[in-house]
Amino acid sequence: MKIHVAIVSEQTLANLIPILMERPDKVYLVCSDEMRQRGLDGRIKNVLAKEAIGVDTKCGVPSAGLQSIYHYARSLAAEIGRDHPGADIVLNATGGTKLMSLGFVEVFRASAQRILYTDTSHRRIEILPDGAGTAFAPIQMRDVLDIPGYLAAQGFHYQGARSDQAAWRARVASRQGVCHYLGSQVGMSEIQRFIGTLNWLAKEALGEQSRENDDALPQPKQYFPDPPRGERATAMTRMAGAGLVGWSKGDRQIRFTSADAARFLCGGWLEEYAWQAAQQESAWDARCSITVTAEDAPDTRNEFDVLACHSNEMLVLECKTLRYQEGNDSKTAYKIDSLGQQLRGLFGETWLLSARPPTDALLQRARLARIRIIGPAELPQLRSAIRQWMKPSLDPEPASST
C-alpha cells in the first residue's frame, strides 16, 4: 500500500502535484486549525475525490512549538504504522510552517521511504537525503493538472469555455488565416489604426444591447471614412475571403455577415490568436473564453480570455484591442492582476496582450503588479514567448531510479 502524508498550506499545488504523479492508495492531510478554517484541505480533497484517491484529514497540528509538533508527528506516524503495517510511506515536507516541516521530517525519517519537497519554481520534485546522508536526483514534474483541476486547487470552479464547443472550434478554423494575418501584421501602425476603425464599426453593427450569445445584428452595413487602400485593402480582401464581411475593392461600405463575425472583428480575433499560439506550441491544456466562479462568491461569474496550463503552471492571457483611455489603464491592470494572481497562484504568470501601444501609466502599473505586457511589436512573436514560458527555468537532473 502506498501512502502520502502532506502538510496543508496555502500552496495547495505543491501538495497535489506529487500525489497526482504517484497516485497513492491513501493520503493523510495534516492540517492546522487555521488552514482548516480557510477550507484549504477541502480544496485538495475535492480534486482527489475526482481522481478516486482516498483522503483522511488530520486536524489540530500545532504550527509552532517544536516539541508539540514532534509529539503530534510521532502520534500520527504510530497511527499509520498500526493501521497500515508495511505500507510504503512518503512525506511531502513542502507545506506548513518551517517548524512544522522540520518537525515532521525529523520524525518521519524513521518510517518514510522517501521525503519529498516540491520545487515548483524549477518544476521538479526534490528527494531529501535519507538518514545515512544518501543524496538522490530530483524528479522532473509531469503534467498532471489540467485547467479545471488547477482552478479547483486555487479555489475556483470551472464553468466552461467556448473552446470546449466543437462548433466554435470549427468557426475558428475557418478564419485562422485572418487571425494569423492580423496578429503577424499588428506591429504596423497602419494596421493598428485599421483595427481601431474595425472595432468601432463592428460595435456599431452589433448595437449596444448585443450579447455574446445573441445572434442579432441590428446594423450589418457600416461605412469607412475612406475606402480601404494598401494594407487595409489587403486585410479587407482576406476578411471577405473568409466570409466575415461583404466588401468590394474601392468601396467604403462594409457588411458584417453575422454577429459572430462582428464580435471576432471587434477584438475576438486576438483571443483566438492567443489560444491558437498556445495550441500550436503544444501547451498541455489551453482554453479560450473561460467562465469561472470563486468558492467564496459562487454567484459571481468571472471571465478570462485565454488560460494555458503547462508543467503544472498557469499562464493567464488577457487580450485588449481598444485604445487605452486616461484613467482606465491603471484600473485595467489592477483587475487583471487581482484576479489573475488568485487564479494562477505563486508561480504562474499573467500577460496582457495589447493590439494598441500601452500608455506609460499602464506600463508602470504592470511592472509593479508583475504583469508582462505583450504589445503590438511583440505580438507577431507570441508563439516564441509562449515557448520560452513553457521551458523550465533550470533543466532538472535525470530522475533517480532509487
Side-chain angles (χ1 to χ4, degrees), residues 273-287:
Y273 177 70
W275 177 72
Q276 289 171 23
Q279 292 280 95
Q280 290 161 354
E281 289 302 317
S282 300
W284 200 65
D285 191 13
R287 309 196 189 198

Side-chain angles (χ1 to χ4, degrees), residues 123-196:
R123 302 178 182 177
R124 61 191 188 187
I125 311 295
E126 295 284 352
I127 314 297
L128 272 62
D130 61 16
T134 305
F136 300 95
I139 301 170
Q140 184 173 1
M141 285 185 186
R142 299 196 314 272
D143 284 293
V144 292
L145 285 168
D146 60 7
I147 286 168
Y150 195 109
L151 292 172
Q154 294 297 106
F156 290 86
H157 300 293
Y158 178 80
Q159 301 298 322
R162 293 183 71 197
S163 56
D164 295 339
Q165 305 165 10
W168 181 86
R169 293 194 299 271
R171 290 196 299 273
V172 169
S174 70
R175 56 202 184 205
Q176 184 173 358
V178 174
C179 201
H180 176 74
Y181 175 80
L182 291 174
S184 63
Q185 301 300 316
V186 71
M188 301 173 57
S189 58
E190 182 70 12
I191 293 297
Q192 290 172 35
R193 290 192 293 270
F194 177 63
I195 287 170

